[in-house]
Amino acid sequence: MPTVFSHPAPVLALAAALGPRVVPPRLLLFGMFCAVLPDLDVIGFKLGIRYADLLGHRGFSHSLLFALLLGLLGAALAALCLLPASARSEE
């Protein structure tokens, strides 16, 4: 069963295969965060959101639209993860 601990496994495996020159540590952490982000919807249980609701577990955050939006945001932000610190501070 997939868990918040197993979701980052493909990201870690890809980073290990490609090495830190291709996948810098900041990008690796960002990828791991994006891998577990859809499961943060379980916080809704504490807020009274039921499992089957649109914002419930495996609702919108597990949809193709959410994946597309997260992918677009991730692609835009990943570029920042690849910039050296000196380049980020000059902007």
Side-chain angles (χ1 to χ4, degrees):
M1 177 162 128
T3 68
V4 61
F5 299 109
S6 64
H7 284 327
V11 177
L12 290 168
L14 188 60
L18 297 175
R21 293 188 73 193
V22 176
V23 184
R26 279 191 310 265
L27 185 59
L28 173 61
L29 289 174
F30 181 68
M32 291 170 57
F33 172 75
C34 289
V36 298
L37 184 63
D39 280 337
L40 291 180
D41 59 6
V42 297
I43 295 170
F45 294 146
K46 295 287 186 191
L47 302 173
I49 298 172
R50 294 182 312 232
Y51 189 94
D53 290 344
L54 177 63
L55 296 177
H57 188 56
R58 299 205 178 120
F60 176 69
S61 68
H62 285 71
S63 69
L64 292 176
L65 177 59
F66 183 82
L68 173 67
L69 295 174
L70 183 59
L72 292 172
L73 178 66
L77 294 177
L80 294 175
C81 293
L82 294 172
L83 289 176
S86 59
R88 284 193 317 270
S89 63
E90 291 173 6
E91 293 178 352

